[in-house]
Amino acid sequence: MRYTLMNRNIKILDFEYQQEYQAFLGVSKVYDLTYAPLSLQYCHSKELAHSFYQWFNDRKIPPMRDELQYLLKSLKYTNTTELMMRHYGLSLSDQYWFLPENEDILWEDINFFDNSYSSHNFLEATFRYSDFQLSSDYNISPNASTNGQLSKCWIQKNGKNILFKGANTIYRFEAICEVIASRMCEVLKVPYVEYQCLALSGTKSRALVSACPVMIQSHQEFIPSYHILQVRKKQITHTSADYELYLDILNEHHVPHAREYVEKMNMLDFILANEDRHLGNFGVIRNLDTLKWESVCPIFDTGRSLNTNVSRKYWLEEKTDMKFFTHDFVSSENVCRTFSIRISHQQINKMYELTGLFQELLETYLEELPIHKDDIYMLKKSFEKRIELFESIMYHKHLIIDD
Ligand SMILES: Nc1ncnc2c1ncn2[C@@H]1O[C@H](COP(=O)(O)OP(=O)(O)OP(=O)(O)O)[C@@H](O)[C@H]1O
Ligand SMILES: [Mg+2]
């Protein structure tokens, strides 16, 4: 069967896909790549089919999604490709979609930025929870093309899109880390996605989830940094050195405050000991009317932090490993080498205040978490120690200023 890859109402290319055998048969026609995903714009024409297939595969719910088999079984799908194609490949992170041949649909009629949808089934299959009064009965939703490992579900309530995300770490308090990260970004003065946490009581379980709004508008797309680095494919080293390469590319595209905001993200990750800032968890926002790279993407997905996935006996250790432009972990010292922006005493004091909020949230949701009351003191202490370490590094670099 033939599909057209669309960007809103603009045709990009046709491809052939056989549902029965899940077989991608190739790109049969190219219309115009001007509005194509970045990774297709920068690939050699001979590699187009391969690059498209890779992009297409990355768009599906990944095989490592938590409880994927249960999700597919509950929704009565055999695989994630079928699920994505039945949902037209629609997403809330960009404006691409797949138009099946012989279907006469316009972007205006189908996109989820402007139209309502219901993810009732998806929510129930993901969190075994169904009590929300959701917006419509239309059972196509953006969930079939949202990636990431954690169980997650977009819902629409009172016209607003909200992403719920679960947990899979040892101590399962990712949602609390997301809230702390939002507050920390506020202190650092860097754009961020605002997260909240709430406990969903499902039919069979109660889960702490994070909730956040959509981070782009209907004329924008999120481009993850691994696609951005492809712009200078030959120079990629898969080491921390790619940091400068990444900034060079952002500067070439005149992304405002690029170095400042990326560096502040590094500071955030250092302080919260975030283990998960891989190349899919940050990037830029591109305007689809002008194709301008408008801004760095607001900071999102900082949940795997603050020891939520580290065994208790290591909580107070000084050395931390982080993701930093490599597939492997690097020592957090590598990351603090990038710090060059000044921070005020007042900002440092506000960071210490956040340890109180951390304690409060852990106490509030203690019942939902596999931790003991006594652990809270140690978790708070370890957060304080990270701030102390950050403060001392900044002090020795002469980067702490009076307010
Ligand atoms: N607020 C948002 N608005 C639009 N798209 C979003 C938003 N939050 C997340 N996404 C999209 O969903 C994807 C998965 O979200 P997220 O990274 O938060 O999940 P995750 O399961 O924690 O990921 P990971 O596998 O990196 O741990 C993101 O890469 C992004 O494409
Ligand atoms: Mg992610």
Side-chain angles (χ1 to χ4, degrees), residues 143-197:
N143 290 303
S145 300
T146 300
N147 64 38
Q149 182 177 3
L150 293 183
S151 294
K152 59 177 68 58
C153 182
W154 283 105
I155 64 153
Q156 199 180 63
K157 199 167 183 312
N158 304 329
K160 288 210 168 84
N161 290 307
I162 303 167
L163 178 64
F164 285 155
K165 238 173 37 156
N168 68 2
T169 55
I170 309 175
Y171 302 107
R172 303 181 77 85
F173 57 81
E174 284 96 316
I176 292 179
C177 298
E178 296 283 21
V179 175
I180 296 295
S182 298
R183 298 284 66 82
M184 191 60 90
C185 288
E186 196 174 42
V187 174
L188 287 167
K189 301 192 177 88
V190 55
Y192 61 95
V193 175
E194 176 85 55
Y195 285 86
Q196 295 182 331
C197 58

Side-chain angles (χ1 to χ4, degrees), residues 128-241:
R128 304 177 201 194
Y129 181 90
S130 58
D131 283 354
F132 265 93
Q133 298 296 311
L134 301 173
S135 293
S136 100
D137 290 333
Y138 186 49
N139 247 326
I140 299 278
S141 78
N143 290 303
S145 300
T146 300
N147 64 38
Q149 182 177 3
L150 293 183
S151 294
K152 59 177 68 58
C153 182
W154 283 105
I155 64 153
Q156 199 180 63
K157 199 167 183 312
N158 304 329
K160 288 210 168 84
N161 290 307
I162 303 167
L163 178 64
F164 285 155
K165 238 173 37 156
N168 68 2
T169 55
I170 309 175
Y171 302 107
R172 303 181 77 85
F173 57 81
E174 284 96 316
I176 292 179
C177 298
E178 296 283 21
V179 175
I180 296 295
S182 298
R183 298 284 66 82
M184 191 60 90
C185 288
E186 196 174 42
V187 174
L188 287 167
K189 301 192 177 88
V190 55
Y192 61 95
V193 175
E194 176 85 55
Y195 285 86
Q196 295 182 331
C197 58
L198 75 156
L200 284 187
S201 290
T203 45
K204 294 197 181 118
S205 61
R206 202 169 139 84
L208 187 62
V209 299
S210 66
C212 71
V214 66
M215 63 189 177
I216 55 163
Q217 297 172 35
S218 57
H219 63 281
Q220 295 176 321
E221 70 174 311
F222 162 56
I223 309 180
S225 61
Y226 58 83
H227 283 156
I228 293 170
L229 284 167
Q230 292 303 314
V231 167
R232 298 241 211 109
K233 204 175 181 170
K234 289 195 181 127
Q235 294 170 36
I236 301 174
T237 59
H238 301 290
T239 69
S240 308

Side-chain angles (χ1 to χ4, degrees), residues 238-240 320-335:
H238 301 290
T239 69
S240 308
T320 312
D321 291 334
M322 300 173 60
K323 285 266 160 66
F324 188 65
F325 288 86
T326 66
H327 300 305
D328 310 314
F329 282 114
V330 298
S331 157
S332 63
E333 283 157 25
N334 236 311
V335 179

Side-chain angles (χ1 to χ4, degrees), residues 222-281:
F222 162 56
I223 309 180
S225 61
Y226 58 83
H227 283 156
I228 293 170
L229 284 167
Q230 292 303 314
V231 167
R232 298 241 211 109
K233 204 175 181 170
K234 289 195 181 127
Q235 294 170 36
I236 301 174
T237 59
H238 301 290
T239 69
S240 308
D242 290 346
Y243 173 59
E244 288 299 334
L245 177 64
Y246 180 71
L247 287 179
D248 276 357
I249 302 170
L250 263 52
N251 285 334
E252 244 169 44
H253 285 265
H254 310 289
V255 178
H257 305 286
R259 182 174 287 275
E260 175 192 340
Y261 288 163
V262 178
E263 194 183 305
K264 285 181 172 174
M265 178 178 78
N266 301 342
M267 288 179 173
L268 171 82
D269 292 341
F270 179 87
I271 299 166
L272 300 191
N274 178 15
E275 292 185 344
D276 199 30
R277 190 68 67 199
H278 60 71
L279 298 175
N281 278 343

Side-chain angles (χ1 to χ4, degrees), residues 173 271-273 306-308 312 314-317 355 358 375-389:
F173 57 81
I271 299 166
L272 300 191
L306 289 169
N307 286 324
T308 185
R312 199 177 266 109
Y314 301 111
W315 282 356
L316 296 178
E317 283 215 348
T355 64
F358 185 45
D375 292 333
I376 296 179
Y377 171 77
M378 248 226 297
L379 285 166
K380 183 186 179 199
K381 186 83 208 143
S382 74
F383 184 12
E384 268 164 15
K385 282 190 73 172
R386 293 298 307 166
I387 302 170
E388 278 163 17
L389 183 61

